[in-house]
Amino acid sequence: MELLEIALSSLYFLTLKEKILLRKNIDRIERLAVLSIEDISLIIGRSLGSRVSWDGNEVVRQSRRASSIMEGQGISACLYGDDDYPPLLKEIVNPPFCVYYRGDVRCLGKETVSVVGTRKPCRESAVATLEFAKAAAEDSVTVVSGNAIGIDSFAHRGALSSGKEASTAAVLPCGIDIIVPAGNKAMLSQVIRTGGVVLSEYIPGCPAEKWRFVQRNRLIAALSPATVVMQAPAGSGALITASFALDYNRDVMFHSSAFCEEAKKIDEVAAERLGSSGTGKVVRRCAMYVDSGAPVIDDYGEYKKALRDAPGSHSVCGDGQLDLLE
């Protein structure tokens, strides 16, 4: 991969189209380094003004460092338009210019399901996640999640327990040479070893920052035709992923474990805490999505059925009644 392409992928203030336009107008990274922010604005046809901090020499330094990390750690990359670029990413607004990965990125070209949830799940939700992910992987579906502690880790481990190749994909909020959390290193090694993939849109060496977790969530939502929320207390980042999925015209489903007694108690505490924060913002809650027609499922078999069902025909569970967050 060329240094110029690494450098362009690191320019978070530019859209995909703008990065492609710069690449067409610049033939090497040294040319990029000497441009001013005004020069870049002229090329892309949009004024970047004082909002953007720009140091071309620093971009070159970071790109050379990233290239060295890629070579030393066997990190691969695919650009938008390449044959191995994940096909579902092409469907969203402003997809990544480049995806960095270890493992086999082709596993994202087959059937996928995104599984998300809280970092502090109750036991019922944790067990349900393991079982759902294992069943999906046994059905040759790649389970996509974000490698966080809690539901994400249970999703990856459940898929790996199936013993199937290419069972799971982990999306990171940083360069893939930086494992967050560090305790998941062994698990991610198994993901790579068994034909899955660890991927990120950020160049190697890029640290995890709060805003990057939200951007990571958009990729989790984009990489599957459906996102399943296993448990998500009020205000949870998993519900941001659900909102991204809806924005991308994907299906969003909720596992019934998200409404078990312990999960409801946790949700109420979180809602009360957020409500007393005085921000005035609407707090996302699982029940809101279900009230709007999101299906509630009990297991992987019901997930498959819900994918086939007409809209609104599979939004309750059990005996047809769902007691939502009393």
Side-chain angles (χ1 to χ4, degrees):
M1 185 174 180
E2 295 180 5
L3 282 174
L4 176 60
E5 293 165 337
I6 295 174
L8 291 174
S9 74
S10 73
L11 305 184
Y12 68 89
F13 54 86
L14 297 180
T15 66
L16 169 68
K17 290 182 179 179
E18 289 168 346
K19 291 174 183 178
I20 292 174
L21 187 58
L22 267 180
R23 186 173 60 171
K24 288 180 178 178
N25 283 271
I26 301 171
D27 58 358
R28 60 189 188 280
I29 194 170
E30 290 79 11
R31 171 79 173 116
L32 177 66
V34 299
L35 292 180
S36 67
I37 203 65
E38 290 76 20
D39 293 331
I40 295 175
S41 296
L42 284 173
I43 292 172
I44 66 174
R46 175 171 68 96
S47 177
L48 297 171
S50 59
R51 296 170 297 170
V52 174
S53 176
W54 170 253
D55 184 338
N57 290 324
E58 177 61 16
V59 170
V60 172
R61 188 194 69 79
Q62 291 179 354
S63 300
R64 293 189 188 282
R65 177 171 178 254
S67 179
S68 178
I69 294 172
M70 290 175 68
E71 183 177 352
Q73 297 191 18
I75 296 171
S76 301
C78 55
L79 295 169
Y80 182 85
D82 288 351
D83 291 341
D84 55 353
Y85 189 91
L88 287 177
L89 280 188
K90 298 176 184 178
E91 299 178 2
I92 68 172
V93 175
N94 196 30
F97 175 76
C98 177
V99 173
Y100 298 90
Y101 65 92
R102 291 185 65 197
D104 192 347
V105 74
R106 293 174 300 177
C107 71
L108 294 169
K110 66 175 193 174
E111 189 174 355
T112 54
V113 59
S114 294
V115 179
V116 298
T118 178
R119 286 174 167 80
K120 297 180 179 180
C122 63
R123 177 174 174 78
E124 184 171 333
S125 295
V127 172
T129 303
L130 286 168
E131 293 175 347
F132 180 91
K134 181 180 181 181
E138 288 176 340
D139 194 33
S140 298
V141 175
T142 299
V143 176
V144 179
S145 199
N147 189 53
I149 60 174
I151 292 297
D152 288 13
S153 292
F154 285 117
H156 294 307
R157 295 183 191 281
L160 290 168
S161 71
S162 71
K164 298 279 283 191
E165 291 289 308
S167 63
T168 189
V171 188
L172 303 188
C174 52
I176 65 170
D177 58 309
I178 303 170
I179 305 302
V180 179
N184 279 356
K185 285 183 179 180
M187 182 185 75
L188 293 188
S189 293
Q190 186 180 359
V191 170
I192 295 166
R193 192 169 60 250
T194 56
V197 70
V198 180
L199 71 152
S200 173
E201 65 180 312
Y202 300 110
I203 66 171
C206 182
E209 296 183 50
K210 188 174 181 179
W211 66 272
R212 291 193 175 105
F213 284 85
V214 175
Q215 291 300 297
R216 182 272 313 272
N217 289 353
R218 96 186 197 285
L219 297 191
I220 294 172
L223 285 167
S224 299
T227 292
V228 178
V229 181
M230 303 303 297
Q231 181 189 346
S236 170
L239 297 180
I240 296 177
T241 309
S243 293
F244 276 126
L246 292 175
D247 288 343
Y248 299 151
N249 198 30
R250 311 287 204 247
D251 284 320
V252 173
M253 304 183 198
F254 289 79
H255 195 281
S256 56
S257 65
F259 304 102
C260 71
E261 289 304 313
E262 185 62 24
K264 287 195 288 186
K265 291 177 184 177
I266 294 171
D267 178 80
E268 288 292 354
V269 171
E272 184 176 351
R273 183 180 67 252
L274 291 170
S276 63
S277 66
T279 62
K281 294 181 179 179
V282 175
V283 178
R284 292 183 178 89
R285 301 182 74 177
C286 294
M288 295 178 178
Y289 294 84
V290 176
D291 287 345
S292 296
V296 178
I297 59 170
D298 285 328
D299 53 33
Y300 177 72
E302 288 199 2
Y303 162 79
K304 293 288 284 188
K305 183 177 184 300
L307 280 180
R308 299 189 298 267
D309 283 348
S313 62
H314 201 274
S315 58
V316 296
C317 64
D319 60 0
Q321 300 295 320
L322 181 60
D323 185 13
L324 291 178
L325 307 181
E326 298 172 332

